[in-house]
Amino acid sequence: MNNGQVYFIGAGPGDEGLITEKGIRALVRADAVLYDRLVNPKLLLHARPTAEFIYVGKFPKHHTLRQELIQEEIIRYAKNGQTVVRLKGGDPGVFGRVGEETQALDKAGIAYDLVPGITAGIAAPLYAGVPVTHRDYGASFAIAAGHRKKETEGELDWQSLAGIETIAFYMGVNNLQQITDQLLAHGRSHDEPALIIEWGTTGRQRTVQASLATLALTAKEASISNPAITLVGRVNHVYETKSWWERKSGFGQSYIVAYDEHYNEGIQQELQETGANVLVYPHVTSIAKPSPTNYWHDVTSICFEDAQAVRHWIVWLRECNVDIRQLRAELIVRTELAAKQLEQFGLSSMQDDTREAEVSLSGLPGTEQIGTTTHTYHPMSHDCLAKQFGSGERQTVHFPTVASVSFFMDSLRQGGIEWVADYIDAICKDREVEPVVKPYFAIKEEEHESDLVRRSWQSGESRDRTVRAVYS
Ligand code: SAH
């Protein structure tokens, strides 16, 4: 068997948009993904639901052993002919130990690609409003490790480092006193500004400014912890208390939007624009099950529970070689969207909530119709959701439609995370959604901040997009 290809991909510093297109392309193809602690878990949703996801941040603390185990795992998957993605926070070449991993692959004769990422030492300052170089303040920039793991790694060359105008220290929060002592001993000034950016580029971003003389104490008082970048240099003069990122209206907000094929894309995009962290749950792939009948032209009445059922029915007609003009069935719909979807195919229907039909079709999970759909939930989708709840924090979930409630509940069950239901406050986008949600969640009145969601929901823009997608 041929060896599989390995991709080392930079996942960026935290904001899920800061990964490269090339990185996403490799993720989409991956059979196995090995990922680190600081990688945004939402990026894993780009990979197929059938891929294997291996969290290597949990491997033994002992660094040498951990590193060897990771290398062995990558080689094992690649030797099985699988496409492997090794997903690393920031850029794989910056304190990412990628050199050791590629060396092991070279030895094993396995081919690999290296895909750069956006490194935290540049991105976190930028999200705090500070560019690492500036015509007025600094034209040289260095990246340095704030602490060295082993005795043998030796000391940094402080003399040379102190000659660089801007310095980004990684992994340095527990070592700030030593860092500032050394810089001061090598000629930097006491009142030079420094910045610490914790959880840069995420909704948890926190920034603390101090002078070199007061940095260690200020960070301690603010209980700054990892991950954080310490930026030293006169460029910090451009820092203002709240950066462009922290000023965004949705900064620090988290939203969960229950999946609905018509609405979530539009809602997600609009909320993300505001800087909010948005999770659409579940991440689902739906495919039509085999056609429930071969005799579509003989069926006298068909009922469509939703728009997806219409789309799958069109697929079945094609598979069974039935020309739409041969049909004599009466078409009944339960929702307006289903009617609209039929209209797109030139078919008129009758909306009736009670009439039974010879064949009843539904695209929703957990329904007992004759013709249904298979839904595959992305396994990492459950992890992403569970993470949002952290240590028992309540979360608001927006339910745009009745269908979204079915998907949400079915996925919670399949993911074995029904416990989150106790911590959910539901916002219903429509009166008809409320009675469906009530048995499961506490209902919350809509707040002003979710106006955007409502507007997007009403715009129907995403609905048009879906219809177009069916045609293309
Ligand atoms: N390869 C990564 C760095 C890995 S070392 C990169 O290129 O960014 C881990 C260190 O990176 C952390 O200790 C912290 O100093 C820094 N770091 C990673 N993500 C960060 C973030 N979102 N905000 C601030 N610092 C971060």
Side-chain angles (χ1 to χ4, degrees):
M1 187 192 293
N2 286 340
N3 287 336
Q5 181 79 9
V6 178
Y7 297 85
F8 291 91
I9 297 177
D15 181 338
E16 65 185 297
L18 299 180
I19 182 172
T20 61
E21 193 188 324
K22 193 167 180 182
I24 292 178
R25 278 209 303 270
L27 265 176
V28 167
R29 284 200 298 272
D31 298 309
V33 185
L34 291 91
Y35 61 101
D36 286 334
R37 188 175 72 87
L38 288 178
V39 164
N40 185 333
K42 278 194 271 175
L43 293 175
L44 302 169
L45 300 173
H46 290 293
R48 285 185 297 237
T50 47
E52 272 190 71
F53 298 91
I54 305 110
Y55 174 54
V56 296
K58 213 166 44 187
F59 276 33
K61 262 253 141 83
H62 193 295
H63 279 266
T64 324
L65 180 59
R66 175 171 175 266
Q67 198 54 43
E68 277 167 14
L69 283 174
I70 294 173
Q71 284 155 213
E72 278 169 23
E73 283 294 282
I74 298 175
I75 292 171
R76 190 168 67 80
Y77 282 106
K79 287 211 155 149
N80 269 333
Q82 295 189 294
T83 301
V84 185
V85 162
R86 174 74 176 99
L87 194 58
K88 286 170 173 285
D91 179 274
V94 178
F95 305 125
R97 306 191 73 168
V98 79
E100 290 153 73
E101 295 178 23
T102 52
Q103 213 172 10
L105 293 189
D106 282 333
K107 253 196 213 148
I110 292 166
Y112 53 84
D113 280 24
L114 291 169
V115 183
I118 296 178
T119 191
I122 295 173
L126 213 53
Y127 269 53
V130 180
V132 295
T133 68
H134 190 293
R135 276 167 74 103
D136 299 336
Y137 299 115
S140 59
F141 168 61
I143 276 171
H147 87 124
R148 315 233 65 192
K149 290 227 164 65
K150 291 183 270 177
E151 301 289 310
T152 50
E153 283 177 326
E155 265 289 303
L156 290 173
D157 178 353
W158 288 102
Q159 188 61 47
S160 306
L161 203 55
I164 310 273
E165 286 150 299
T166 311
I167 314 162
F169 289 95
Y170 289 62
M171 307 171 285
V173 270
N174 298 322
N175 215 17
L176 288 174
Q177 194 61 57
Q178 200 212 338
I179 291 171
T180 46
D181 285 351
Q182 288 285 5
L183 289 173
L184 294 172
H186 289 88
R188 303 291 277 241
S189 111
H190 280 80
D191 55 11
E192 180 173 336
L195 206 61
I196 302 183
I197 308 128
E198 182 189 69
W199 284 109
T201 81
T202 72
R204 297 162 71 182
Q205 175 170 306
R206 209 156 57 106
T207 315
V208 169
Q209 196 189 29
S211 67
L212 272 187
T214 57
L215 183 67
L217 188 63
T218 313
K220 200 168 164 204
E221 280 171 0
S223 312
I224 291 279
S225 63
N226 256 319
I229 288 289
T230 305
L231 192 75
V232 173
R234 293 193 321 118
V235 281
N236 288 317
H237 282 302
V238 306
Y239 175 73
E240 288 168 17
T241 320
K242 268 197 170 183
S243 72
W244 64 272
W245 172 241
E246 294 157 4
R247 278 198 303 260
K248 277 179 134 355
S249 62
F251 172 74
Q253 315 261 10
S254 266
Y255 293 95
I256 296 163
V257 178
Y259 166 84
D260 178 285
E261 58 173 351
H262 297 101
Y263 299 113
N264 56 236
E265 205 182 310
I267 295 177
Q268 187 182 17
Q269 272 173 12
E270 271 195 63
L271 288 174
Q272 271 170 350
E273 278 300 304
T274 70
N277 174 34
V278 191
L279 177 71
V280 174
Y281 179 86
H283 193 91
V284 60
T285 332
S286 306
I287 39 168
K289 278 185 180 168
S291 172
T293 167
N294 285 326
Y295 305 106
W296 286 109
H297 36 267
D298 285 341
V299 175
T300 54
S301 57
I302 307 170
C303 175
F304 300 94
E305 296 287 332
D306 47 65
Q308 178 149 280
V310 175
R311 288 192 293 279
H312 286 173
W313 177 63
I314 297 289
V315 173
W316 288 326
L317 292 180
R318 215 176 292 142
E319 278 170 7
C320 303
N321 285 323
V322 177
D323 186 313
I324 273 181
R325 288 166 299 182
Q326 294 173 295
L327 295 173
R328 58 191 187 91
E330 201 179 3
L331 306 179
I332 302 162
V333 290
R334 298 282 199 239
T335 69
E336 215 181 300
L337 281 178
K340 285 223 159 85
Q341 188 75 81
L342 280 168
E343 261 171 40
Q344 300 292 328
F345 296 104
L347 298 167
S348 56
S349 58
M350 190 194 335
Q351 183 156 0
D352 191 321
D353 290 343
T354 50
R355 270 231 349 251
E356 295 295 317
E358 188 183 335
V359 177
S360 182
L361 304 174
S362 169
L364 292 185
T367 46
E368 309 232 327
Q369 313 302 327
I370 299 175
T372 56
T373 303
T374 313
H375 301 286
T376 310
Y377 300 110
H378 199 292
M380 299 318 288
S381 182
H382 311 304
D383 280 27
C384 289
L385 185 76
K387 264 214 172 91
Q388 295 279 112
F389 289 83
S391 43
E393 295 152 43
R394 294 193 76 75
Q395 297 283 324
T396 302
V397 182
H398 294 266
F399 289 96
T401 55
V402 172
S404 70
V405 187
S406 310
F407 278 112
F408 198 88
M409 292 313 299
D410 193 53
S411 183
L412 285 189
R413 267 189 295 273
Q414 296 212 16
I417 50 166
E418 291 106 314
W419 61 268
V420 302
D422 292 342
Y423 301 94
I424 287 177
D425 296 312
I427 289 187
C428 304
K429 298 281 137 218
D430 205 325
R431 285 277 153 235
E432 69 171 14
V433 185
E434 257 187 50
V436 187
V437 160
K438 228 173 193 152
Y440 307 114
F441 313 112
I443 293 189
K444 186 178 168 184
E445 278 310 306
E446 192 145 13
E447 290 159 11
H448 178 68
E449 67 193 12
S450 53
D451 269 5
L452 255 174
V453 184
R454 172 163 290 282
R455 250 182 287 142
S456 163
W457 180 78
Q458 284 168 338
S459 77
E461 193 189 307
S462 33
R463 180 189 320 157
D464 294 344
R465 208 174 304 140
T466 314
V467 172
R468 277 201 301 279
V470 173
Y471 271 123
S472 55

